[in-house]
């Protein structure tokens, strides 16, 4: 698996960066996020038992019951319910509320908590709806422009005057309209008795009274919304990012810089997509992702999904699936023992069981027969050939139990692995010795045609 993992990790071109200096540790950030979402979690757990509105004659009645049970006002119940849904703590199935995957992991998984809070942060405009008299297009423009305001707050590393934020927001809204080729209102409109610095508000959409709401009012709304989810604080005409908000903006900027390489979001994916996302990680961070992914599901369901991926055609994912199963430990033993009866999974299952029984990982391969070790070598070589560079396949030769390439070829041909031909062809193309490459190609042809 070290060879297979190198096949993808060597393609990583950008080293992981650290959060800004002074950013609290993840455990402290998670504590703050739990505090912000405390009411939402209480309501989510209550709803998980009550099974949502279906348990009452009406939604208002359900809210009244929740308020009484949790000693909250109906308004706080409504707000907490919305936050719980936005943070993934509640999932609606028809009229019934069911606990979301994050609720299962809430008390034991800091990263699940932080991702839940980031989901709420991303949906701040839904958690704090805009005034009803504002045109939806004006709201959408401001929501699209707010990330630039947040970037300024993050770069400033301290309080920023709302006047400065207003100037930036007006400029960004104007740029968005220009990008969409929108024409500002005609200058023949009646002049407004407004100070000169309010002129950018002329770019507001025309046509309805709602469109005349100035950008300054929408800035106030957006700052209040971000403050309501714990992303910033407001004081005396200034806004300051909280530690959570500062960290979240940094995460978003990092995602932009490493969009294709970021593992963020793996926990919410299927087992296959999660493993693909973890393939670029080194073993330590990958195990952390496995733990978080498993913690958000029932153990039986997680083990079943992982073994389902292991039965697929991608050899790299097969190996990674068993790495993830090592994180499960004892609850996976019975399923892994059963998998040892399947030829394609047997070597992996035997290694897993050997390590589970206390064998040193470096000595675990001793439990494999020569044929099983050869089958595993071919399977890993297939992963390298699919995902790596030719040089890595040559290095993989060193891990074969056979002492020579001809001996390896002979036993590989007899092993019956379904990827034998592809592995031999890739090995022939990579090998620098013309004579050996020719012999490997001949063996590939004979396996392909069924010859001896």
């Amino acid at each position: 698996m070290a060879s297979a993992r190198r096949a993808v990790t060597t393609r990583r071109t950008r080293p992981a960066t650290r959060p800004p200096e002074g950013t609290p540790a993840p455990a402290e950030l998670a504590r703050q996020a739990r505090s912000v979402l405390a009411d939402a979690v209480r309501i989510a757990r209550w709803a998980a038992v009550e099974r949502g509105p279906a348990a009452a004659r009406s939604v208002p009645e359900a809210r009244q019951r929740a308020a009484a049970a949790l000693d909250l006002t109906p308004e706080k119940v409504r707000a907490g319910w919305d936050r719980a849904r936005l943070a993934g703590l509640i999932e609606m199935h028809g009229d019934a509320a069911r606990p979301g995957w994050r609720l299962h992991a809430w008390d034991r998984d800091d990263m699940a908590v932080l991702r839940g809070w980031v989901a709420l942060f991303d949906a701040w405009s839904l958690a704090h709806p805009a005034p009803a008299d504002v045109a939806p297009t004006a709201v959408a423009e401001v929501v699209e422009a707010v990330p630039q305001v947040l970037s300024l707050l993050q770069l400033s590393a301290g309080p920023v005057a709302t006047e400065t934020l207003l100037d930036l927001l007006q400029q960004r809204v104007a740029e968005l309209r220009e990008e969409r080729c929108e024409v500002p209102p005609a200058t023949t409109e009646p002049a407004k008795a407004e100070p000169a610095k309010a002129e950018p508000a002329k770019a507001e959409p025309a046509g309805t009274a709602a469109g005349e709401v100035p950008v300054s009012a929408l800035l106030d709304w957006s700052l209040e919304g971000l403050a309501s989810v714990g992303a910033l604080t407001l004081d005396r005409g200034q806004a300051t990012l909280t530690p959570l908000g500062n960290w979240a903006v940094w995460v978003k900027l990092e995602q932009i810089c490493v969009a294709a390489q970021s593992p963020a979001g793996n926990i919410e994916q299927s087992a296959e997509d999660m493993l693909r996302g973890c393939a670029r990680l080194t073993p330590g961070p990958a195990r952390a992702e496995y733990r978080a992914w498993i913690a958000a599901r029932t153990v039986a369901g997680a083990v079943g999904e992982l073994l389902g991926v292991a039965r697929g055609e991608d050899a790299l994912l097969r190996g990674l699936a068993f790495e993830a199963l090592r994180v499960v430990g004892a609850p996976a033993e019975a399923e892994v023992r059963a998998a040892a009866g399947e030829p394609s999974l047997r070597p992996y299952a035997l290694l897993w069981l050997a390590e589970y029984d206390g064998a040193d990982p470096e000595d675990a391969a001793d439990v494999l027969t020569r044929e099983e070790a050869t089958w595993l070598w071919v399977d890993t070589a297939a992963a390298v050939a699919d995902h790596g560079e030719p040089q890595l396949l040559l290095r993989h030769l060193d891990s074969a139990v056979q002492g020579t390439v001809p001996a390896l070829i002979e036993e590989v041909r007899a092993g019956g692995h379904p990827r034998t031909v592809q592995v031999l062809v890739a090995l022939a193309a990579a090998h620098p010795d013309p004579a050996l490459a020719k012999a490997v190609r001949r063996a590939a042809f004979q396996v392909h045609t069924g010859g001896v």
Side-chain angles (χ1 to χ4, degrees):
M1 281 310 304
S3 298
R5 186 178 284 284
R6 279 197 298 269
V8 288
T9 56
T10 51
R11 294 183 181 180
R12 194 182 184 97
T13 58
R14 186 178 185 272
T17 57
R18 295 181 179 275
E21 186 175 354
T23 301
E28 171 59 20
L29 290 172
R31 185 195 66 78
Q32 296 176 19
R34 286 185 175 100
S35 177
V36 171
L37 285 163
D39 285 349
V41 170
R42 292 178 64 200
I43 292 168
R45 287 175 172 157
W46 179 87
V49 174
E50 293 290 321
R51 293 301 179 194
R57 286 189 295 272
S58 65
V59 172
E61 180 184 337
R63 290 197 180 114
Q64 290 290 343
R65 291 175 56 192
L70 302 173
D71 194 23
L72 297 172
T73 65
E75 292 74 20
K76 285 190 174 182
V77 169
R78 177 192 289 271
W81 174 265
D82 290 341
R83 290 181 176 211
R85 294 185 67 181
L86 293 171
L89 298 168
I90 291 174
E91 296 175 358
M92 295 302 298
H93 297 262
D95 289 334
R98 297 178 186 173
W101 71 267
R102 288 194 176 104
L103 189 62
H104 293 298
W106 196 255
D107 292 330
R108 62 181 180 272
D109 189 336
D110 289 344
M111 288 311 298
V113 172
L114 290 175
R115 287 193 171 104
W117 181 84
V118 168
L120 176 65
F121 168 73
D122 288 341
W124 65 267
S125 61
L126 300 178
H128 185 70
D133 60 345
V134 180
T137 51
V139 173
E141 288 169 344
V142 169
V143 171
E144 189 174 353
V146 158
Q148 194 157 339
V149 173
L150 290 169
S151 296
L152 175 60
L153 285 166
Q154 201 260 352
L155 291 172
S156 299
V160 178
T162 53
E163 290 87 351
T164 302
L165 299 178
L166 177 59
D167 289 342
L168 177 60
L169 186 63
Q170 289 174 327
Q171 177 183 346
R172 181 59 183 148
V173 167
E175 289 173 352
L176 291 171
R177 291 173 181 166
E178 184 177 352
E179 289 171 5
R180 288 193 290 267
C181 300
E182 291 186 7
V183 180
T187 56
T188 56
E189 289 184 359
K192 298 180 177 63
E194 297 261 317
K197 71 175 184 178
E199 187 172 341
K202 291 181 181 179
E204 296 287 344
T208 64
E212 300 301 327
V213 174
V215 172
S216 59
L218 291 175
L219 173 66
D220 292 342
W221 162 71
S222 61
L223 294 179
E224 290 168 2
L226 290 163
S228 73
V229 299
L232 54 80
T233 58
L234 300 171
D235 183 41
R236 299 176 184 176
Q238 294 181 323
T240 308
L241 285 178
T242 62
L244 267 177
N246 187 65
W247 170 79
V249 175
W250 172 79
V251 167
K252 297 299 177 183
L253 293 173
E254 282 298 293
Q255 288 177 351
I256 292 172
C257 294
V258 292
Q261 301 177 14
S262 173
N266 289 329
I267 295 171
E268 301 182 45
Q269 305 300 320
S270 65
E272 179 174 346
D273 291 340
M274 180 273 293
L275 293 172
R276 290 192 189 282
C278 291
R280 292 182 179 274
L281 302 178
T282 52
R287 280 192 295 272
E289 287 286 300
Y290 301 151
R291 290 190 187 97
W293 186 86
I294 292 163
R297 292 158 176 79
T298 63
V299 174
V303 171
E305 282 193 58
L306 290 169
L307 286 174
V309 174
R311 294 184 178 97
E313 296 182 356
D314 193 322
L316 175 63
L317 297 186
R318 187 164 21 258
L320 294 178
F322 275 87
E323 283 191 8
L325 287 168
R326 285 179 174 84
V327 174
V328 178
E333 180 185 4
E335 292 291 337
V336 173
R337 287 195 184 279
E342 303 177 38
S344 64
L345 303 184
R346 181 173 176 76
Y348 295 97
L350 292 178
L351 291 176
W352 189 99
L353 292 167
E355 292 181 27
Y356 174 73
D357 290 337
D360 188 292
E362 294 184 0
D363 300 329
D366 294 342
V367 303
L368 302 180
T369 65
R370 190 178 181 95
E371 292 77 13
E372 291 164 349
T374 300
W375 197 99
L376 181 60
W377 185 93
V378 177
D379 206 47
T380 307
V384 176
D386 288 343
H387 300 278
E389 304 296 334
Q391 294 79 5
L392 291 174
L393 192 58
L394 292 178
R395 286 187 221 168
H396 184 53
L397 277 172
D398 296 335
S399 65
V401 294
Q402 294 79 9
T404 64
V405 173
L408 172 64
I409 293 173
E410 192 64 29
E411 295 188 28
V412 164
R413 289 172 55 187
H417 193 289
R419 296 292 302 279
T420 298
V421 173
Q422 291 90 337
V423 166
L424 291 176
V425 169
L427 183 60
H431 207 289
D433 186 325
L436 280 175
K438 183 178 180 180
V440 174
R441 279 193 298 272
R442 184 186 304 114
F445 176 77
Q446 291 173 340
V447 173
H448 176 65
T449 58
V452 179

